Amino acid sequence: MLNKKSVDDINVNGKRVLVRCDFNVPLKAGEITDETRIVAALPTINKLIADGGKVILCSHLGKVKNGPNEGESLAPVAKRLSEKLGKEVNFVADYNVTGEAATAAVAAMQPGDVVLLQNTRFRGAEETKNGEAFSKELADLCDVYVCDAFGSSHRAHASVAGVTDVVRAKGGECAVGYLMEKEINFLGNAVENPVRPFVAILGGAKVADKLNVISNLLEKCDTLIIGGGMAYTFLKAQGYEIGTSLCDDTKLDYCKEMMAKAESLGKKLLLPVDTVVTSEFPNPIDAEIATEVYDSTAIPADKMGMDIGPKTQALYAEAVKSAKTVVWNGPMGVFENPTLAAGTIAVAKSLAETDATTIIGGGDSAAAVNQLGFGDKMSHISTGGGASLEFLEGKELPGVVAADDK
């Protein structure tokens, strides 16, 4: 997966280039509230414009449960993109995405022009039989295809993977953009070829979400740190009382297997040694709440674990200190609450202070690092939640596999 053609390896001068971006931005009353994904796409778009390509952009936005609607149109993205690029982006508002309006707009393009197609999900489920016709229509609009949407690369959709077969069949090239290249290099090298010691940190609520990640990372890393809600299933598997803490009783045997696997491989598996507990879950989530700290072996039966305690924070920070590569996916506690964010802050701080290559694996951990003000201290923050997880599981991502090899 690590040796793919990038936009630096193709000639797009005078050619029509279809670029799959990730413009799935949060909207409030039609206004974009976080433009991170738009900014992340700019280097690739600017490169293709500078090289004389006719740049056709496409993306999904939202889940589009009830068919096409103005609330999930890409119109606000076109407006913001025009501002960022300093040139007009011609938005094709047609809900059909690849219909006559799109064909006409592309036919009128000059080198350096930019067109944005309507939300790809307005065409219905892209991964179904409908996807074959849609793949062909997308391919008919272009000579070259570039995928720069890492956040969607784990889905074998028409605009991510399906289109590549048709483009290739007519002699076109399929490459990855700068954002995809960066993700592949950081995540791929971290897992397949890490500079050691390699420390992996997994948090979040459920063991079930990270089953294959835990198993895969145990084979790759030197130390695996477990925090967040999933830690309590491990503690219960060791026979400890965990009170009313989050627990997946169906995964107790799995946790035992993973602890045995770590031991047999000679890997360190670190679990919380103390825990911040409350009487109930905060409601609303950021409400003031009274907390106590107990050793993880002595959580009261009527209390709920909410964050790692100070001794665990110190233990985890110490494990990170000597690392050369650190991958982190999932917060250490209920970080949305200021009182219960201390564990996540401590881990973020320890990563910010290390010389290691630090990679944040998308999703909640990316949100936490950015919200807590540590984003600029990390080597790489992944733009894909589900895609990052599948990469860390060792799965092949359809959007990556579909690009041409160098």
Side-chain angles (χ1 to χ4, degrees), residues 81-130:
L81 259 179
S82 297
E83 293 163 7
K84 294 281 182 197
L85 292 170
K87 66 185 299 168
E88 193 201 343
V89 172
N90 181 10
F91 177 55
V92 182
D94 181 9
Y95 285 177
N96 188 46
V97 188
T98 50
E100 286 176 22
T103 308
V106 170
M109 291 178 85
Q110 297 298 317
D113 284 353
V114 182
V115 163
L116 174 63
L117 304 179
Q118 185 55 281
N119 188 340
T120 57
R121 292 210 176 150
F122 282 5
R123 280 294 294 266
E126 276 198 76
E127 70 279 16
T128 59
K129 202 72 178 159
N130 156 59

Side-chain angles (χ1 to χ4, degrees), residues 189-246:
N189 285 325
V191 177
E192 298 306 328
N193 190 28
V195 180
R196 298 187 180 278
F198 173 24
V199 175
I201 306 169
L202 292 178
K206 297 176 186 162
V207 175
D209 294 343
K210 308 259 164 78
L211 289 179
N212 297 329
V213 182
I214 295 168
S215 186
N216 190 47
L217 284 179
L218 270 179
E219 290 168 21
K220 314 277 189 186
C221 70
D222 301 297
T223 301
L224 179 61
I225 293 174
I226 303 276
M230 61 194 280
Y232 302 107
T233 307
F234 276 90
L235 292 170
K236 187 169 181 179
Q238 288 181 313
Y240 297 125
E241 169 65 59
I242 59 162
T244 58
S245 305
L246 200 62

Side-chain angles (χ1 to χ4, degrees), residues 255-326:
C255 289
K256 287 176 189 165
E257 278 171 38
M258 289 303 107
M259 289 185 279
K261 179 173 182 172
E263 199 171 339
S264 70
L265 293 172
K267 306 294 176 80
K268 273 190 197 163
L269 176 63
L270 300 182
L271 291 165
V273 292
D274 61 345
T275 299
V276 176
V277 302
T278 62
S279 299
E280 58 193 358
F281 199 87
N283 184 20
I285 200 162
D286 58 355
E288 275 189 39
I289 194 155
T291 63
E292 299 169 277
V293 179
Y294 286 90
D295 283 349
S296 296
T297 55
I299 297 172
D302 61 343
K303 300 288 184 186
M304 180 183 285
M306 287 294 195
D307 192 15
I308 57 173
K311 284 192 278 193
T312 306
Q313 291 171 24
L315 175 73
Y316 290 2
E318 191 58 36
V320 165
K321 243 181 212 156
S322 58
K324 290 283 182 256
T325 306
V326 185

Side-chain angles (χ1 to χ4, degrees), residues 23-45:
F23 293 143
N24 187 22
V25 293
L27 293 172
K28 197 168 186 180
E31 292 294 320
I32 297 166
T33 57
D34 181 351
E35 59 183 36
T36 307
R37 286 177 169 163
I38 293 175
V39 173
L42 295 177
T44 295
I45 298 169

